[in-house]
Amino acid sequence: MKPLLSGLALALSLACVPALAADTVSAEARALHERILTLDSHLDTPMFFAREGWDILQRNDTAPLNSQVDLPKMVEGGLDGGVWVIYTGQRGRTPADDLAARDHGLTRLVEIRELLAAHPDTFELALTADDAARIRDAGKRVVYISIENASPLSADPSLLGFYHRMGVRVLGLVHTSNNDFADSASTPPEWNGLSDKGRALVAEANRLGIVLDHSHASDAVFDQLIALSKAPIILSHTGADAVYEHPRNIDDARIRTLAEHGGVILVNSLGSYLIDTGATPAYREEVAALFDRFGGRANMRDADWHEFDRLRAELDAKHGLKQATLDDYFAHILHIIEVAGPEHVGFGADWDGGGGVVGMEDVSDLPKITARLLEAGYTEAQIEAMWSGNLLRVIRQAQAVAEAEAQTAS
């Protein structure tokens, strides 16, 4: 998703926050982090791929092309890859809007495939669960592809088959507004969960072996996905409602249900979902007006985000918004581990989509997570499961369901 508070806005607003003591990453933790396979389930970095002057092989630290993910940061932070996102903002739902969303999604897919073609010795497309370790062992970075917001499929849901052939392995149904398939967690319900069209899309994702992602969808959608999906589901970037009550977070009862059905929740680091930032109605009105000034979130041009981020940071400073810290992030992580068990937890920090907290500003800081988990008493096997094994298990299970359905149909 495009950030509620982007990396640039976060960096600017952090100037008003007292510096915290840096986490110490021991030699033992660093060695463990480098040894295990590490994946993040929600990388929004593809939004940068077509921007003139941005280069994934170089550090991108200068606005407006500063990103939280690039190859040097991945190397420094020991990130082997992850799930790279085709994000489409929710426009209206007229036929013209549906065609615009279709074209946007396909364009972003092409941009990801172009990056893979341009750097075959550095990045490789992963299609199965077993591909991740093979790609990492070959010295390359892992690229799974996901769709965030199914609106590119509204005009023609059969396009999901094409996306699957082109490498998509994860599907998030909705974003911050209801669409033709499902209700969002952020808007009043329209379908009371999934629409008929959404139920059909769930069945098609199961048939293809695409993992269903609940993040951003309503609680009713969660309940229906659990009931309908023949494969476990994931929440690719979501926090704990018990730690901070927010529509985008999930309650403990549903976390337990997710675990009972073999699913995985991958913890988000977007600050406004982690803590009460102190955003007042007046602040929210000014932010809404700022979005309107640039034509709305879904219609904003990539070139406009830098100026938007700068103005958003000024609003944050004006209203004294509080910034979440690595401690706040870990409050969610540790709570979710306690509720779900380490076999059902992972990390989807929403990099380049609003993620990042004080003390963990980009992927170069990821060894701090491993260090804290080690200090908390988790074993190497448990830590690797959280970093990649749990997500890969669900990918494997989704593909097994598809294979079983194909055999039954033949």
Side-chain angles (χ1 to χ4, degrees):
M1 60 162 265
K2 182 63 184 109
L4 295 176
L5 179 63
S6 76
L8 173 62
L10 176 62
L12 290 173
S13 56
L14 290 185
C16 303
V17 178
L20 300 181
D23 275 34
T24 300
V25 178
S26 68
E28 177 189 11
R30 172 69 68 172
L32 170 59
H33 189 79
E34 293 296 334
R35 190 162 60 244
I36 64 177
L37 175 60
T38 55
L39 303 174
D40 184 285
S41 63
H42 200 81
L43 303 173
D44 271 306
T45 313
M47 71 170 63
F48 285 97
F49 287 0
R51 295 192 191 182
E52 184 177 356
W54 190 85
D55 184 353
I56 198 166
L57 301 185
Q58 307 296 323
R59 286 190 71 93
N60 298 279
D61 293 332
T62 304
L65 300 175
N66 49 322
S67 62
Q68 295 171 304
V69 180
D70 51 40
L71 183 60
K73 295 186 183 81
M74 293 177 77
V75 171
E76 185 178 343
L79 181 62
D80 293 312
V83 183
W84 304 70
V85 177
I86 297 170
Y87 163 69
T88 303
Q90 185 62 49
R91 296 170 168 83
R93 286 157 59 189
T94 67
D97 291 323
D98 290 346
L99 291 177
R102 179 202 64 185
D103 294 349
H104 179 276
L106 292 171
T107 298
R108 188 56 45 87
L109 171 66
V110 168
E111 290 165 358
I112 295 172
R113 294 298 303 246
E114 285 177 338
L115 175 122
L116 291 164
H119 306 293
D121 297 330
T122 308
F123 296 91
E124 184 174 335
L125 181 66
L127 298 174
T128 70
D130 292 339
D131 284 344
R134 176 187 59 77
I135 292 169
R136 188 275 307 270
D137 292 345
K140 295 185 279 189
R141 304 289 152 170
V142 179
V143 178
Y144 289 101
I145 305 175
S146 73
I147 293 173
E148 182 179 31
N149 188 10
S151 65
L153 306 173
S154 289
D156 182 4
S158 71
L159 274 174
L160 187 62
F162 172 77
Y163 275 106
H164 178 260
R165 291 192 296 276
M166 293 298 101
V168 167
R169 292 298 180 265
V170 179
L171 171 64
L173 296 174
V174 69
H175 194 239
T176 57
S177 299
N178 301 339
N179 64 17
D180 290 348
F181 302 101
D183 289 334
S184 170
S186 303
T187 47
E190 175 181 352
W191 307 109
N192 294 314
L194 296 165
S195 67
D196 289 344
K197 196 172 180 179
R199 291 170 184 269
L201 195 65
V202 167
E204 180 66 0
N206 280 171
R207 187 187 72 81
L208 293 169
I210 294 175
V211 175
L212 289 157
D213 175 11
H214 170 265
S215 284
H216 279 292
S218 70
D219 287 346
V221 172
F222 176 91
D223 297 340
Q224 292 165 20
L225 286 177
I226 290 293
L228 292 171
S229 179
K230 298 177 182 179
I233 69 170
I234 66 170
L235 284 69
S236 68
H237 57 306
T238 295
D241 206 52
V243 179
Y244 175 54
E245 188 172 357
H246 190 286
R248 269 285 283 115
N249 293 334
I250 187 170
D251 60 84
D252 285 359
R254 288 186 171 86
I255 293 175
R256 292 189 189 97
T257 298
L258 178 74
E260 289 166 1
H261 287 78
V264 179
I265 175 171
L266 302 113
V267 188
N268 193 4
S269 73
L270 197 151
S272 61
Y273 300 158
L274 300 178
I275 63 169
D276 180 357
T277 61
T280 63
Y283 168 80
R284 297 182 192 281
E285 287 180 9
E286 290 193 54
V287 170
L290 182 60
F291 271 112
D292 289 344
R293 173 177 166 183
F294 285 89
R297 180 191 298 274
N299 299 312
M300 200 179 305
R301 301 175 304 163
D302 284 350
D304 290 335
W305 279 109
H306 172 56
E307 178 64 8
F308 173 87
D309 289 343
R310 185 186 68 79
L311 295 171
R312 176 72 176 270
E314 290 181 358
L315 284 181
D316 292 350
K318 171 185 171 183
H319 289 270
L321 257 65
K322 181 181 178 183
Q323 301 299 325
T325 69
L326 188 53
D327 287 342
D328 297 318
Y329 184 45
F330 251 81
H332 284 259
I333 291 171
L334 294 177
H335 178 82
I336 290 171
I337 295 173
E338 180 180 358
V339 174
E343 303 84 2
H344 301 283
V345 179
F347 307 109
D350 209 353
W351 295 116
D352 288 321
V357 294
V358 179
M360 192 181 74
E361 282 81 15
D362 58 48
V363 297
S364 68
D365 289 321
L366 292 180
K368 295 177 182 180
I369 294 177
T370 298
R372 286 193 175 208
L373 292 172
L374 196 60
E375 291 168 3
Y378 293 100
T379 67
E380 177 171 340
Q382 289 172 324
I383 294 171
E384 184 163 26
M386 287 186 272
W387 266 117
S388 59
N390 297 334
L391 174 63
L392 295 176
R393 182 189 70 245
V394 174
I395 292 173
R396 186 175 289 108
Q397 289 173 300
Q399 294 181 335
V401 165
E403 291 166 5
E405 287 202 0
Q407 290 175 0
T408 301
S410 61

